[in-house]
Amino acid sequence: MKSVQVSVIIPIHNQEKYVGRCLRSLLKQTIPEGDYEIIVINDGSTDNSVEALKPFMGDIRYIENEKKLGLPSSLNIGIKKARGQFIVRVDADDFVHWDYLNILSMHLQLNHDIDAIACDYLLVNDHQDILSQVNCLEIPIGCGIMFRLEQLIDIGLYDEDFLVREDEDLRIRFQKKYNISRVHLPLYRYRKHEKNITSDDSEMHKYQQKLKKKHQN
């Protein structure tokens, strides 16, 4: 397989309702079609996610885990299979602006002193109504940020012990060696709904304590 410029990593677990909207937004990108790939990792879905993916199978690289491994493991599987020099994560219940990949990748291509580039995002509800626009550095999320592949490998990818707050742990480790810059454009649409993993307060608290313990020094 020939290399591409950007690899989009989409982990999916029971997202039949949303994944079509996500993929349609990624297939309409202004970046040339041959310059990016979309890797979907199905992590043990028990709903109709596979049926929802069928219309897109010719446009994506599909990986199915034999059993549910968790979000960070699925992300690492996708990154290890990636052919792109730049890596960006999109969650299956979110969607993006058509210039998302083009603008982020251009920053990394033309600015070698930028290690990773994050864009602002719009918080939207289930009806795609805009709730607010958010500064990606003030309130960061795990998506909407493009990394250089070799630097992700250098820091050891995602810590697979962090089933929640995996993005926070990655960011802490990344910023010990590298920088994250900001594009002041809301190119990412972060969907807020009751099934967001961040809505589980007990799990969020548990991994917050784990995060503090790991990085207390």
Side-chain angles (χ1 to χ4, degrees), residues 81-114:
K81 294 287 188 181
R83 296 180 290 134
Q85 58 179 313
F86 306 140
I87 303 292
V88 67
R89 166 185 167 186
V90 176
D91 283 350
D93 51 353
D94 299 334
F95 56 103
V96 297
H97 187 275
W98 56 80
D99 272 328
Y100 174 66
L101 297 180
N102 192 34
I103 290 173
L104 293 186
S105 62
M106 190 180 299
H107 276 75
L108 292 182
Q109 274 186 292
L110 300 180
N111 296 288
H112 296 289
D113 58 332
I114 293 178

Side-chain angles (χ1 to χ4, degrees), residues 160-190:
E160 297 182 3
D161 288 335
F162 278 83
L163 298 180
V164 178
R165 298 190 185 272
E166 77 296 327
D167 56 310
E168 295 175 51
D169 171 71
L170 183 83
R171 185 181 292 263
I172 290 169
R173 289 184 287 115
F174 188 86
Q175 290 186 297
K176 287 178 180 178
K177 292 189 70 172
Y178 303 112
N179 65 69
I180 299 174
S181 298
R182 175 194 177 206
V183 174
H184 191 174
L185 291 170
L187 302 174
Y188 194 90
R189 276 60 170 152
Y190 180 81

Side-chain angles (χ1 to χ4, degrees), residues 82-215:
R83 296 180 290 134
Q85 58 179 313
F86 306 140
I87 303 292
V88 67
R89 166 185 167 186
V90 176
D91 283 350
D93 51 353
D94 299 334
F95 56 103
V96 297
H97 187 275
W98 56 80
D99 272 328
Y100 174 66
L101 297 180
N102 192 34
I103 290 173
L104 293 186
S105 62
M106 190 180 299
H107 276 75
L108 292 182
Q109 274 186 292
L110 300 180
N111 296 288
H112 296 289
D113 58 332
I114 293 178
D115 297 319
I117 187 76
C119 65
D120 288 352
Y121 58 95
L122 299 176
L123 192 66
V124 301
N125 63 17
D126 247 351
H127 304 290
Q128 300 181 25
D129 301 319
I130 297 171
L131 305 177
S132 62
Q133 180 172 330
V134 186
N135 181 318
C136 62
L137 296 186
E138 290 179 356
I139 308 177
I141 54 174
C143 305
I145 176 168
M146 188 175 286
F147 297 94
R148 298 183 189 275
L149 174 60
E150 69 271 16
Q151 293 174 347
L152 282 181
I153 293 172
D154 181 50
I155 66 166
L157 306 183
Y158 286 90
D159 184 336
E160 297 182 3
D161 288 335
F162 278 83
L163 298 180
V164 178
R165 298 190 185 272
E166 77 296 327
D167 56 310
E168 295 175 51
D169 171 71
L170 183 83
R171 185 181 292 263
I172 290 169
R173 289 184 287 115
F174 188 86
Q175 290 186 297
K176 287 178 180 178
K177 292 189 70 172
Y178 303 112
N179 65 69
I180 299 174
S181 298
R182 175 194 177 206
V183 174
H184 191 174
L185 291 170
L187 302 174
Y188 194 90
R189 276 60 170 152
Y190 180 81
R191 194 190 297 266
K192 192 73 175 172
H193 56 87
E194 60 184 16
K195 292 186 179 180
N196 285 123
I197 193 166
T198 52
S199 300
D200 189 332
D201 292 338
S202 62
E203 281 293 284
M204 291 297 285
H205 177 72
K206 171 184 170 183
Y207 283 95
Q208 175 67 34
Q209 298 307 113
K210 187 178 177 71
L211 200 64
K212 286 180 179 178
K213 185 175 181 180
K214 178 177 178 179
H215 298 288

